[in-house]
Amino acid sequence: RFITRRGDTQRFYNFGVVTALMLLKRDPDRFCPSNLYVTAMPDADYGTSCYMWDVGYASELLAMLDPEALKTTVEHWAALGPHSMLSFRYDTGERLAPGRFYASNGSMFFLATWNYINFTGDFDWLNKKVADKTMLQHLREAVDWHKTRPQWNGLAHYGEERNLFDDHTVVGYHHFVAAPNAACVGIKRRLADIYEKLYHDEANARQLRQEARQLAEALIQHLYNDQGNPAGTWKQRHQDGSMLEIRHSWDFMNAGTYLAEDLSLKQKRQMRDWFVDNLVRFGSDDVWVVAQDPRDGNNGRHQMEHNGRGAYPAWPYHDGWALKAMGFH
């Protein structure tokens, strides 16, 4: 329970819990012995689908309220391969769109695991074998996956637009982009903590931290924009070598959250000012944020959770993670 005298704050908190409970599916007679949580989509084709991206954002709450369900879900992801699917169907256990991936899968797989072990203290679970590998080995594969992707100056190519958002929603946002590369920095450092504190493995911890530092430096050097009115935003580098400036909050939230120790104070202030001046809707009846800088012109009614008219429901609080990590409480 969250105790406060402020009714608006209590309402905001309660809606978070209610939303998670709305995604609850009971499945005792099929392959899963515990509850499962799915994505809330109006399309019946998505009605039984469990996405890593969505459940990853809910994993802190699930780790506190229903840890067995979270653990079961993560084990299914591990067995099916986090980078070879969009989701699995809770009623059959089958992959949705096998072979296609979301660039967020590795970091969200890791985040859900991180929340489960830290809220429950079930660190021995990391030694459990799932699909002939321990969960620790699955985590290592998740943080090293970027090495299997095409490289440019140490940055990984994270696919086409459909691997980053949805088809034709943020046109031009693809290939070497900041957000998933920054998330990789964060999960490398967290896995280094696991190796060091739980396994006393200084060699692996040192290697992961070095890789994280090099990746962070490459990101800031090659993709950060500190010039002009869009200062505080991140560029995209395409396979043909062209650079594009698409000012999307997914870069802000991941870079701010996971690169906070690597960014200068000036860069942090630039990122904060761009976010507050261009994405926050202070004057609206229901204060909210939008996902993309409206000046980019992506303001249509299609997929509004990704453009200059709206935002995916989890993203405003991930924006909050970023602001907090950068010191702007």
Side-chain angles (χ1 to χ4, degrees), residues 14 101 111 155 168 181-182 215 272-273 286 325:
N14 289 345
F101 65 90
L111 179 62
L155 302 178
H168 310 300
N181 276 289
L215 181 54
R272 174 202 61 190
D273 291 347
D286 185 12

Side-chain angles (χ1 to χ4, degrees), residues 76 137 240 257 268 277:
H76 281 299
Q137 289 172 321
D240 62 6
T257 300
K268 293 175 186 176
D277 292 344

Side-chain angles (χ1 to χ4, degrees), residues 61-214:
L61 183 65
L62 296 181
M64 291 186 280
L65 297 182
D66 203 346
E68 189 65 26
L70 180 61
K71 179 175 74 169
T72 302
T73 300
V74 172
E75 288 179 0
H76 281 299
W77 291 341
L80 294 172
H83 297 293
S84 62
M85 63 172 177
L86 286 184
S87 70
F88 74 82
R89 297 188 184 277
Y90 85 89
D91 51 346
T92 65
E94 297 173 332
R95 292 183 182 93
L96 177 69
R100 180 179 166 181
F101 65 90
Y102 269 137
S104 64
N105 282 1
S107 59
M108 285 301 180
F109 173 77
F110 191 98
L111 179 62
T113 303
W114 176 266
N115 281 328
Y116 171 75
I117 63 174
N118 279 285
F119 277 96
T120 65
D122 185 10
F123 303 116
D124 289 340
W125 179 64
L126 293 173
N127 302 317
K128 179 179 178 178
K129 279 199 170 183
V130 175
D132 297 324
K133 295 176 184 175
T134 66
M135 287 304 302
L136 180 64
Q137 289 172 321
H138 285 295
L139 290 183
R140 187 59 184 264
E141 284 191 356
V143 305
D144 284 346
W145 186 69
H146 79 289
K147 296 179 182 179
T148 70
R149 305 291 301 161
Q151 300 285 307
W152 174 72
N153 283 332
L155 302 178
H157 177 308
Y158 276 96
E160 304 300 323
E161 183 184 349
R162 70 187 196 132
N163 303 120
L164 294 153
F165 297 113
D166 297 290
D167 299 348
H168 310 300
T169 57
V170 189
V171 177
Y173 188 92
H174 50 252
H175 302 164
F176 299 93
V177 297
N181 276 289
C184 190
V185 172
I187 62 178
K188 279 182 177 292
R189 285 171 171 160
R190 289 186 179 186
L191 184 57
D193 288 342
I194 289 175
Y195 273 118
E196 183 179 66
K197 296 176 181 179
L198 297 181
Y199 294 91
H200 309 292
D201 186 341
E202 296 291 341
N204 270 310
R206 186 164 51 251
Q207 178 188 350
L208 287 165
R209 290 187 180 118
Q210 180 181 0
E211 291 174 357
R213 184 178 66 255
Q214 291 171 342

